[in-house]
Amino acid sequence: MADGGGTASTDRSTHLHDLPDGVLLQTFSLIIDVRTRNSVSRTCRKWYSLERSTRTNLSLRGNIRDLFLLPTCFPSISHLDLSLLSPWGHHPADFHLLTRRFLLAFPSVVSLTIYARAAAMVPNWPNLRHVALVRWHPRPNQPPGFDLSPLLSSCPNLTSLDLSRFYCWPEDIPAALASHPSAAESLTHLDLLCSAASEGYRSSELVAIATACPNLRRLLVPCVFNPRFFDFVGDDAILAVAAACPNLSLLHLADPLTLSASREIPDSTTTPRDDSRITRAGLQGLFSALPLLEDLTLDLCHDVVDSGEALEVLSRRCPRIRSLKFGRFQGVCRAAGLHLDGVAVCGGLRNLCIKNSDDLSDSSLATIARGCRQLSRFEIHGCALVSETGIKRLAAVLRSTLKEVMISDCRNLDAASSLRALGPIRDRIERLHIDCIWEKPGTLPAEVATDDLDCDDDEFEFDEEGMSSKKCRYSDQNNLYDNGGSEFWCKTFNRLRYLSLWLPAGELLSPLPESGLENCPELEEISIKVEGDCRTCPRPAQPVFGLSSLALYTKLSKMKLDCGEAIGYALTAPTGHMDLSLWERFYLHGIGDLNLHELDYWPLQDKEVNQRSLSLPASGLIQGCLSLRKLFIHGTANEHFMRFFLEIPDLRDVQLREDYYPAPDNDMSTEMRVDSCSRFEDALNRRPIRD
């Protein structure tokens, strides 16, 4: 025990401030959540400057009138997104002042995303290497390629051009690239897959693009594959692309119809289809010419017959292939015997998407699972022969790797059977999409026959808690499939964080928990898409959609509710029908019961008048969600309806985005007037935020 006159201790406690700046910089750079970063930066001035210096990506929000609020504390920003500035999609008033302020605040930008109406600022960053242009408004009446000429002429270091959200005509791109050959030759990434494109690129245009950009490593283009059209894309065109761009590692060629926001559901049994002019020989030549290929998408609306042998060539000629997506490919895996064939030979695949393959069967899925043991993402769409048994067999074999599954538009798979089929990976899956079809003709019962589950190579081993560590054959494990596997597999989706749902117009959401999704303790984000013609569907059996049934997911904080492809009457509806305001009341009822922090909402539309406007009932119901911090309406709204949102106490970010084609462009309407949006934003910013 020290005496009363002892000397003072020379020990000094260690503090976080004693860490070297290099360690703090590395630590701060590992923080992903933006709000956490902001909290860290408020600790002290030193941490503030260090944290701000680690930011390399920034997406700016706010009104361009308030330039005095422009942040100047991010000297290291290299990736800047200006496409969401308010008022959204409008022409800035003073380009020179705006450009000068942005250059002073962000001098190191090399990647820029910007709305096309403000693209005049782009040439002021001469070191840009990546540019993404955004435009949803109708194309102005200008010569082909006029919009892109200033960009290509003033950015000599440009290597990546993203036009996936830029509405233009197909003739614009070849004309712009031909006018600036040096800029075209330096491009290594070109993305033209715009969902607003009503027409694809024809054979001559596709070849012209590939010839002008010989150094491309990533190419994404919508193409005209329909053989009834003039100058369609066939074998000659894809072989010319491969010859012009031999270094391609990513190639996405898709029919424009597959990019549409609405789902096309053709009936192959009653609707005749033509074969495409993409043949087995053409595919083999394509794969042989692209040895560096890692990611391939060929999404067509016309059949590619006997594709299995070509896919085997893909495995041999393109050993780096990791992601594969194809639509209307027939014969992708015959599964005729015990040997692997077709796509099952591609053993290095991590991502596989099969769309509208009429002869894909449960046995095909079992063979694919045996051959592609590294799959982490699997998507199946419009495969009529696949049933619950096939998905369950695939999930059991790929239990150790499969993290993301998407099942849509399969005739024998409704919501309940899809969820039962995922029993083997219920405790491992992280992202999931299913169609909320509660009753379907021809759906297999829960007790699926297991006589056909015997496969010599289908052996698997479990090492998780509660699972058998003994290797077993499917034929010896009938109890795995009895009662949907509920006695054997884990009953909880322990790791599911993202859930995507598709519902036809008028269908209810409330049966979802009872179908097998009652236990999702980690679910954070949900995306709901409603599609169909509300004018022809009967009145719903219940007065509410069922959003309140999602309240059992306690961690759910982010929602996307997309009713943009649900069509109704914007004006007075005929007798016996509901107008859009009543449908919005139906779909949004109960949203106040959810603890949401972020909401993206696409209002229902009336295509005849091109109106997607928030109604009075919708505004009132969204106002009841008191936990919201961010609200994005992908449509228009009257100013007095927007005022309802000022009653949400912690709401700090609201924006109207007409990010669909054609975006309305009429300043005389009170629903999109710039002054109205500015007044609302001023009122929102004047409110005190508790945290």
Side-chain angles (χ1 to χ4, degrees):
M1 184 174 179
D3 56 72
T7 60
S9 174
T10 59
D11 294 337
R12 188 174 68 90
S13 60
T14 303
H15 195 273
L16 283 176
H17 288 298
D18 298 326
L19 291 175
D21 290 353
V23 175
L24 290 175
L25 286 172
Q26 184 64 24
T27 304
F28 294 161
S29 65
L30 297 176
I31 302 175
I32 299 176
D33 183 65
V34 176
R35 297 196 67 200
T36 304
R37 273 182 165 267
N38 291 334
S39 300
V40 167
S41 66
R42 295 182 179 184
T43 304
C44 62
R45 291 185 180 274
K46 177 182 177 180
W47 284 29
Y48 175 85
S49 60
L50 289 175
E51 190 279 327
R52 292 304 192 235
S53 65
T54 62
R55 297 277 189 109
T56 58
N57 295 267
L58 185 64
S59 178
L60 275 185
R61 285 278 295 107
N63 200 300
I64 56 177
R65 302 175 311 163
D66 304 327
L67 287 179
F68 66 93
L69 296 177
L70 186 67
T72 58
C73 54
F74 299 100
S76 303
I77 292 296
S78 59
H79 298 73
L80 181 63
D81 187 350
L82 301 179
S83 64
L84 301 178
L85 290 175
S86 294
W88 186 91
H90 286 271
H91 195 287
D94 190 342
F95 266 121
H96 299 291
L97 176 61
L98 195 64
T99 302
R100 190 160 52 250
R101 294 297 301 271
F102 276 112
L103 284 175
L104 292 174
F106 310 107
S108 306
V109 171
V110 296
S111 175
L112 180 66
T113 302
I114 194 168
Y115 202 86
R117 292 180 172 179
M121 291 191 295
V122 173
N124 294 278
W125 281 287
N127 296 322
L128 284 177
R129 295 197 297 268
H130 169 80
V131 172
L133 291 181
V134 181
R135 180 171 67 195
W136 295 104
H137 289 88
R139 177 188 181 277
N141 188 16
Q142 296 171 338
F146 180 83
D147 294 322
L148 300 176
S149 292
L151 169 64
L152 296 176
S153 61
S154 59
C155 298
N157 299 322
L158 190 66
T159 60
S160 175
L161 182 59
D162 184 354
L163 303 179
S164 60
R165 292 174 290 167
F166 180 79
Y167 175 77
C168 62
W169 293 346
E171 54 264 33
D172 287 331
I173 306 303
L177 295 176
S179 301
H180 304 86
S182 60
E185 289 182 6
S186 65
L187 287 178
T188 60
H189 180 188
L190 181 60
D191 188 352
L192 305 175
L193 285 181
C194 181
S195 60
S198 58
E199 299 181 7
Y201 291 80
R202 300 184 181 274
S203 176
S204 58
E205 296 167 335
L206 177 63
V207 174
I209 292 173
T211 304
C213 308
N215 296 314
L216 282 177
R217 292 196 294 268
R218 301 166 64 90
L219 177 62
L220 304 91
V221 187
C223 301
V224 177
F225 290 104
N226 193 336
R228 299 186 180 186
F229 283 27
F230 173 74
D231 198 17
F232 64 88
V233 174
D235 283 348
D236 293 340
I238 62 174
L239 291 175
V241 170
C245 305
N247 297 322
L248 283 174
S249 62
L250 181 147
L251 178 62
H252 289 193
L253 303 178
D255 192 290
L257 292 178
T258 64
L259 304 176
S260 173
S262 61
R263 176 184 294 187
E264 298 290 337
I265 313 179
D267 189 349
S268 60
T269 61
T270 59
T271 304
R273 293 200 308 263
D274 296 332
D275 291 344
S276 72
R277 296 301 183 265
I278 304 293
T279 65
R280 180 176 59 189
L283 290 174
Q284 292 174 351
L286 174 69
F287 302 151
S288 299
L290 299 176
L292 303 179
L293 198 61
E294 300 177 10
D295 189 336
L296 174 66
T297 293
L298 293 173
D299 199 354
L300 284 67
C301 291
H302 297 78
D303 290 342
V304 179
V305 297
D306 297 329
S307 61
E309 292 185 15
L311 295 175
E312 295 177 13
V313 174
L314 171 67
S315 175
R316 295 194 300 268
R317 297 293 187 178
C318 306
R320 299 183 181 181
I321 192 71
R322 295 294 179 266
S323 178
L324 185 58
K325 176 180 180 180
F326 43 79
R328 295 290 182 201
F329 275 49
Q330 312 303 331
V332 297
C333 183
R334 299 294 185 184
L338 297 180
H339 68 281
L340 303 178
D341 69 291
V343 70
V345 179
C346 302
L349 287 178
R350 269 66 166 180
N351 179 4
L352 177 60
C353 174
I354 305 176
K355 298 180 61 178
N356 302 308
S357 183
D358 295 336
D359 55 1
L360 189 76
S361 64
D362 292 344
S363 299
S364 302
L365 292 187
T367 304
I368 291 173
R370 289 191 293 123
C372 305
R373 292 290 186 131
Q374 302 181 53
L375 277 183
S376 60
R377 183 183 186 275
F378 179 72
E379 178 179 355
I380 186 170
H381 175 93
C383 298
L385 299 183
V386 173
S387 69
E388 177 183 342
T389 304
I391 298 295
K392 187 173 293 184
R393 296 165 77 178
L394 179 135
V397 176
L398 299 177
R399 170 177 163 76
S400 61
T401 61
L402 201 56
K403 306 297 182 185
E404 181 175 356
V405 177
M406 303 182 71
I407 305 171
S408 57
D409 194 24
C410 294
R411 183 180 305 170
N412 293 323
L413 288 167
D414 59 14
S417 60
S418 298
L419 293 172
R420 287 196 303 268
L422 297 175
I425 57 172
R426 201 172 288 166
D427 59 334
R428 290 178 174 267
I429 190 169
E430 298 176 1
R431 298 174 66 87
L432 171 65
H433 170 87
I434 58 171
D435 289 351
C436 291
I437 306 297
W438 310 123
E439 293 182 6
K440 261 193 167 183
T443 301
L444 295 181
E447 294 80 6
V448 183
T450 61
D451 296 337
D452 61 339
L453 297 180
D454 190 10
C455 270
D456 286 347
D457 293 313
D458 288 344
E459 297 184 352
F460 49 95
E461 184 176 356
F462 309 112
D463 53 5
E464 298 294 312
E465 276 189 33
M467 295 299 182
S468 171
S469 60
K470 170 185 172 181
K471 284 193 174 182
C472 52
R473 294 173 182 263
Y474 284 109
S475 56
D476 298 330
Q477 291 294 325
N478 291 339
N479 64 316
L480 304 187
Y481 301 95
D482 295 341
N483 301 319
S486 58
E487 299 296 330
F488 187 83
W489 306 110
C490 176
K491 299 182 179 180
T492 303
F493 287 85
N494 291 326
R495 302 182 185 179
L496 186 65
R497 290 177 170 82
Y498 173 84
L499 176 64
S500 173
L501 306 172
W502 181 91
L503 297 96
E507 189 63 87
L508 301 177
L509 181 66
S510 49
L512 178 67
E514 291 79 9
S515 65
L517 277 171
E518 61 272 17
N519 294 321
C520 302
E522 299 297 324
L523 185 61
E524 300 172 350
E525 181 179 354
I526 189 168
S527 177
I528 303 173
K529 184 176 181 62
V530 179
E531 182 180 341
D533 195 342
C534 298
R535 300 171 298 184
T536 59
C537 66
R539 283 178 174 265
Q542 298 180 9
V544 295
F545 178 52
L547 285 182
S548 58
S549 63
L550 303 178
L552 59 89
Y553 307 128
T554 56
K555 289 191 176 181
L556 183 63
S557 61
K558 185 176 181 180
M559 174 184 286
K560 294 182 179 179
L561 180 56
D562 185 356
C563 301
E565 295 302 321
I567 306 170
Y569 296 103
L571 306 177
T572 304
T575 303
H577 294 269
M578 297 165 55
D579 60 19
L580 292 184
S581 63
L582 294 180
W583 278 110
E584 285 200 296
R585 176 180 293 174
F586 167 75
Y587 281 114
L588 286 169
H589 190 279
I591 195 170
D593 298 333
L594 308 180
N595 190 31
L596 297 178
H597 293 167
E598 183 174 339
L599 174 64
D600 282 75
Y601 176 60
W602 286 258
L604 289 83
Q605 67 165 317
D606 188 337
K607 288 187 175 181
E608 295 182 359
V609 295
N610 189 30
Q611 180 174 345
R612 302 192 191 196
S613 181
L614 199 68
S615 65
L616 176 62
S619 303
L621 290 169
I622 293 176
Q623 175 194 356
C625 192
L626 301 179
S627 58
L628 277 180
R629 298 183 63 88
K630 296 182 179 181
L631 173 61
F632 305 115
I633 306 297
H634 300 263
T636 61
N638 287 293
E639 182 181 0
H640 57 285
F641 292 168
M642 297 285 288
R643 292 276 174 176
F644 285 26
F645 304 144
L646 298 176
E647 302 300 322
I648 303 177
D650 293 328
L651 190 65
R652 57 182 302 169
D653 196 357
V654 183
Q655 191 173 38
L656 297 179
R657 300 175 183 172
E658 297 97 38
D659 49 357
Y660 51 87
Y661 183 82
D665 195 14
N666 182 4
D667 289 336
M668 297 303 294
S669 172
T670 58
E671 295 184 3
M672 60 203 73
R673 188 174 293 165
V674 174
D675 292 341
S676 300
C677 295
S678 299
R679 284 194 296 267
F680 170 77
E681 290 180 347
D682 291 341
L684 183 69
N685 294 332
R686 284 195 299 265
R687 302 180 315 144
I689 303 297
R690 291 179 296 183
D691 58 349

